[in-house]
């Protein structure tokens, strides 16, 4: 039992404050939805694309006939990347990079497809992978820089 004159736990108070800040930040960003239908991947393949050292990004703004809320993202790696273990490793890295960057730079109503490259997606340092994704998003959106 805590004595009545014990000081408050500052770490606990700080953690509660930071959790509410993170929660409010998360609620403001549009949700990431994973693409699962082949047709959505094919539409993205006909749209804008930007290659980087570690992957290829395809992005398109959805039509007025499609649901325009949220950011949809898909991940793919061909057999050129390697066996199933190598492909899954590359896709996990792409998924995690998208989780970090897309809520901040992705646009609501857009579809993105990240395509892994042989050896490069798995071997590239993660901070450079994030930098590549930020660069590719700026290029796909047509932002100057």
């Amino acid at each position: 039992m805590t004595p009545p004159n014990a000081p408050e736990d500052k770490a606990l108070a700080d953690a509660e404050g930071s959790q509410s800040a993170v929660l409010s930040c998360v609620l403001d960003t549009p949700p990431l939805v994973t693409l699962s239908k082949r047709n959505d991947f094919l539409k993205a393949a006909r749209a804008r694309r930007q290659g980087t050292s570690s992957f290829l990004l395809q992005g398109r703004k959805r039509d007025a006939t499609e649901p325009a809320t949220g950011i949809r993202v898909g991940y793919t790696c061909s057999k050129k990347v390697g066996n199933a273990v190598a492909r899954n490793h590359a896709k996990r890295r792409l998924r995690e990079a998208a989780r970090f960057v897309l809520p901040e730079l992705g646009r609501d109503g857009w579809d993105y497809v990240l395509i892994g490259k042989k050896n490069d997606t798995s071997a590239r340092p993660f901070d450079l992978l994030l930098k590549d994704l930020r660069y590719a998003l700026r290029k796909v959106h047509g932002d100057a820089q």
Side-chain angles (χ1 to χ4, degrees):
M1 185 163 164
T2 307
N5 58 355
E8 286 189 26
D9 189 5
K10 290 186 99 178
L12 181 61
D14 291 343
E16 288 174 357
S18 66
Q19 284 177 351
S20 64
V22 168
L23 184 59
S24 68
C25 178
V26 169
L27 293 177
D28 293 342
T29 60
L32 288 180
V33 178
T34 304
L35 292 176
S36 58
K37 299 198 183 294
R38 183 175 189 268
N39 193 27
D40 293 329
F41 281 88
L42 293 176
K43 286 179 184 176
R46 291 189 298 266
R48 300 176 186 172
R49 66 182 59 111
Q50 178 62 46
T52 66
S53 301
S54 50
F55 61 88
L56 175 75
L57 175 72
Q58 299 170 338
R60 77 174 189 99
K61 183 158 178 57
R62 290 193 292 271
D63 300 345
T65 60
E66 298 177 279
T69 57
I71 298 171
R72 299 191 316 183
V73 60
Y75 314 93
T76 185
C77 291
S78 71
K79 286 192 175 183
K80 290 180 187 178
V81 173
N83 62 10
V85 174
R87 291 193 305 270
N88 286 333
H89 182 257
K91 285 191 280 189
R92 277 195 310 270
R93 287 175 55 89
L94 291 174
R95 201 173 294 121
E96 193 64 13
R99 190 177 70 84
F100 276 114
V101 176
L102 282 179
E104 138 193 0
L105 294 177
R107 295 190 180 166
D108 199 23
W110 279 67
D111 290 346
Y112 302 101
V113 175
L114 286 85
I115 303 172
K117 287 186 175 180
K118 182 179 180 178
N119 298 330
D120 298 332
T121 305
S122 292
R124 190 139 170 101
F126 191 70
D127 59 333
L128 294 178
L129 192 73
L130 295 175
K131 185 177 177 184
D132 287 346
L133 182 54
R134 288 184 181 102
Y135 168 79
L137 283 169
R138 283 194 306 267
K139 290 294 193 173
V140 165
H141 292 149
D143 297 342
Q145 192 172 11

